[in-house]
Amino acid sequence: MNISQPPAPPLPPDLIAKFAAIVGERQALTSAADVTPYVTEERNLFHGRSPLVLRPGSTTEVSAICKLASEHRIALVPQGGNTGLVGGQTPHNGEVVVSLKRLDKIREIDTASNTMICEAGVVLQVAQQKAAEVDRLFPLSLGAEGSCTIGGNLSTNAGGTAALAYGVAREMALGLEVVLADGRVLNALSKLKKDNTGYDLRNLFIGAEGTLGIITAATLRLFPKPRAVETAFVGLKSPAQALKLLSIAQNEAAGTLTSFELLSQLAVDFSVRHGIDIRDPLAGKHPWYVLMELSSPRDDARAALEAILAQGLEEAIVDNAAIAANLSQRAAFWKLRDEMSAAQKPEGGSIKHDISVPVVAVPDFIEQADAAVVRLIPGARPVPFGHLGDGNIHYNVSQPIGGDTADFMSRWHEVNAVVFDIVLRMGGSISAEHGIGVLKRDELPEVKDKVAIELMRGIKAMLDPLGIMNPGKVL
């Protein structure tokens, strides 16, 4: 997908040399082979170009890069693990890429305050592991956690499978360190849960996708490490039945319900068909599935899970269920879920939506969206799955069997239009956890409150008056 924006001016060799002097010659990439991994992304949906990729190793170097870029009006694209799904991390028009991967230090872990200060390039999985080493939990969990970074997670306000219990990335950050467009450094790495000293500037940058500044470090909240984790894979007839099971689980689990994933039969079939060492945990197929997990500081999660499933069976909500007997079975359940996006690739073109609606509206949304999409493109195959517990559904649509991929993908915006219309009528959001980037940028003014858009543009103009911070993204 090509994004039309005014092209960035050529970067003179002497200016490339000045940028290289900041980070060191080895960390200033200019050859096509070296630059390519930073201008393409794993879905192959967006293709960018850049004359220079900078790999700073400190906040001081990021500050110097921004100051030099501001002096010469050079556009910058901040990038973490390059796992974003809306094109926000791609240099579409020849901008300079600032990769934060070398900012990968854990600066501090404070178990008394239950905080951890991570630099932006720390891989999410590493942050999880470091928390576990001190008997704590950092609960943000995504399919890309082995490669996505803390800076990217915060810049997109990532959600994930544990948002039901712990919230999204915004709720997991107490403070930030941010380099502004002119090179100034906002040092707000607070550990405080209570701080009413004026405006909460932290939240300006979380979810801003690098358009207001570059997050270089964050103070993250840690939680008690669960003593018991129990996981079930459940077969049932419909999203409406899954919603009833969610209600039972929330009543019975007493705050220990941490994940509640809704999976369509087709999504499960794709994972089983195309994944490696993946199988359906249940005998026989079911129209819908739920992957449910309880995490408790006490050894009572198993009893609570069994009580939930027993009530579901008694009320004819649950048709079949399997409880993971050990860690390997739990991992197998989650692998089936985590591979759902990748498993759609062999099926041809996939038009994707990351939407949210009120939890109670999820069954109606899926029913109406399925009908509208198939009416628009006969033979199209809806593949909905996602986080029923917080109303976030990844409503993906695979091309008709035997159809032409290019023709199907050319109708991306038509499919978006019918799906988004249903979302908005239900009081939902067109972007639940992946961000806006360029993929949804043009739709944003149509769905966002007009005063909100005016305020966003005003904030952008104040913090980035030259428009050099990730230009063309979000707004």
Side-chain angles (χ1 to χ4, degrees):
M1 182 177 291
N2 295 316
I3 304 300
S4 177
Q5 285 286 119
L11 206 58
D14 64 326
L15 194 51
I16 291 178
K18 288 182 180 179
F19 278 118
I22 295 171
V23 299
E25 292 290 338
R26 293 179 59 189
Q27 306 303 337
L29 312 180
T30 56
S31 73
D34 289 339
V35 168
T36 294
Y38 298 88
V39 300
T40 56
E41 43 85 45
E42 61 181 21
R43 287 197 307 179
N44 204 34
L45 187 63
F46 299 102
H47 304 274
R49 56 190 175 86
S50 176
L52 177 64
V53 175
L54 298 171
R55 292 166 44 89
S58 68
T59 300
T60 300
E61 290 181 2
V62 176
S63 173
I65 289 169
C66 290
K67 184 177 180 182
L68 183 60
S70 182
E71 290 171 355
H72 294 272
R73 291 182 175 243
I74 302 301
L76 304 175
V77 174
Q79 190 178 101
N82 195 16
T83 61
L85 299 174
V86 293
Q89 79 279 19
T90 304
H92 298 285
N93 300 285
E95 303 92 338
V96 171
V97 174
V98 182
S99 170
L100 284 301
K101 284 185 176 180
R102 291 182 61 230
L103 273 70
D104 61 356
K105 297 179 181 62
I106 306 287
R107 295 185 186 174
E108 177 188 281
I109 299 179
D110 181 349
T111 55
S113 297
N114 277 323
T115 59
M116 175 170 60
I117 299 178
C118 291
E119 292 186 342
V122 172
V123 171
L124 173 56
Q125 194 169 69
V126 172
Q128 295 168 343
Q129 291 168 350
K130 292 298 182 182
E133 288 173 7
V134 294
D135 202 33
R136 296 293 186 273
L137 172 72
F138 182 61
L140 187 64
S141 182
L142 324 171
E145 61 193 28
S147 52
C148 65
T149 61
I150 294 299
N153 298 150
L154 293 171
S155 291
T156 58
N157 191 27
T161 56
L164 170 63
Y166 298 102
V168 295
R170 189 183 303 279
E171 281 75 52
M172 298 184 201
L174 289 171
L176 296 181
E177 177 185 85
V178 183
V179 177
L180 303 181
D182 59 8
R184 289 180 296 164
V185 179
L186 171 65
N187 187 354
L189 286 172
S190 173
K191 298 181 186 179
L192 304 176
K193 294 181 179 178
K194 293 181 177 180
D195 182 357
N196 284 333
T197 53
Y199 303 142
D200 185 357
L201 299 177
R202 167 199 58 171
N203 276 328
L204 279 178
F205 300 97
I206 298 176
E209 301 182 46
T211 60
L212 302 180
I214 300 178
I215 295 173
T216 51
T219 305
L220 305 176
R221 296 179 63 197
L222 302 181
F223 297 81
K225 189 176 180 181
R227 301 301 173 207
V229 177
E230 297 289 346
T231 311
F233 199 84
V234 182
L236 29 69
K237 292 183 175 62
S238 69
Q241 296 292 77
L243 193 60
K244 292 178 182 178
L245 183 63
L246 174 63
S247 179
I248 294 171
Q250 289 175 322
N251 289 335
E252 290 290 330
T256 62
L257 180 66
T258 47
S259 296
F260 198 94
E261 301 287 292
L262 177 67
L263 318 171
S264 65
Q265 182 188 88
L266 193 55
V268 171
D269 286 349
F270 284 178
S271 281
V272 172
R273 187 182 310 165
H274 302 297
I276 299 173
D277 296 327
I278 294 177
R279 65 179 184 84
D280 188 335
L282 302 180
K285 290 189 175 184
H286 300 268
W288 290 87
Y289 299 84
V290 161
L291 176 56
M292 175 172 45
E293 190 158 274
L294 274 62
S295 305
S296 175
R298 299 175 299 277
D299 294 327
D300 58 355
R302 181 66 174 234
L305 184 58
E306 290 176 346
I308 292 165
L309 295 176
Q311 186 174 342
L313 287 165
E314 183 180 337
E315 297 182 15
I317 294 169
V318 170
D319 293 335
N320 197 2
I323 297 176
N326 49 49
L327 290 176
S328 63
Q329 284 190 1
R330 174 178 180 257
F333 289 2
W334 278 108
K335 184 179 181 182
L336 187 154
R337 162 64 181 89
D338 291 340
E339 291 293 321
M340 283 184 172
S341 292
Q344 291 168 66
K345 290 181 181 178
E347 296 291 330
S350 176
I351 297 175
K352 301 179 184 296
H353 308 84
D354 162 47
I355 66 89
S356 60
V357 294
V359 174
V360 70
V362 168
D364 286 343
F365 162 75
I366 292 174
E367 181 180 1
Q368 292 184 35
D370 284 358
V373 165
V374 174
R375 190 162 53 244
L376 179 69
I377 304 178
R381 295 173 291 166
V383 193
F385 62 93
H387 321 300
L388 178 60
D390 52 42
N392 174 199
I393 299 298
H394 300 299
Y395 188 80
N396 299 343
V397 183
S398 286
Q399 70 178 61
I401 295 173
D404 181 83
T405 298
D407 179 64
F408 177 74
M409 296 301 287
S410 73
R411 304 189 70 179
W412 186 291
H413 292 292
E414 288 181 71
V415 176
N416 283 176
V418 299
V419 172
F420 291 165
D421 179 64
I422 297 166
V423 169
L424 296 174
R425 282 194 279 107
M426 293 184 171
S429 169
I430 67 169
S431 178
E433 62 178 4
H434 293 164
I436 296 296
V438 292
L439 186 65
K440 301 178 183 180
R441 178 195 62 202
D442 295 339
E443 284 87 358
L444 188 62
E446 303 301 319
V447 303
K448 193 83 172 173
D449 176 78
K450 292 191 179 347
V451 174
I453 290 289
E454 290 173 4
L455 290 172
M456 288 168 64
R457 287 179 173 147
I459 292 167
K460 170 72 171 173
M462 181 191 70
L463 291 174
D464 182 25
L466 301 178
I468 66 169
M469 300 303 294
N470 215 5
K473 314 297 171 54
V474 183
L475 294 172

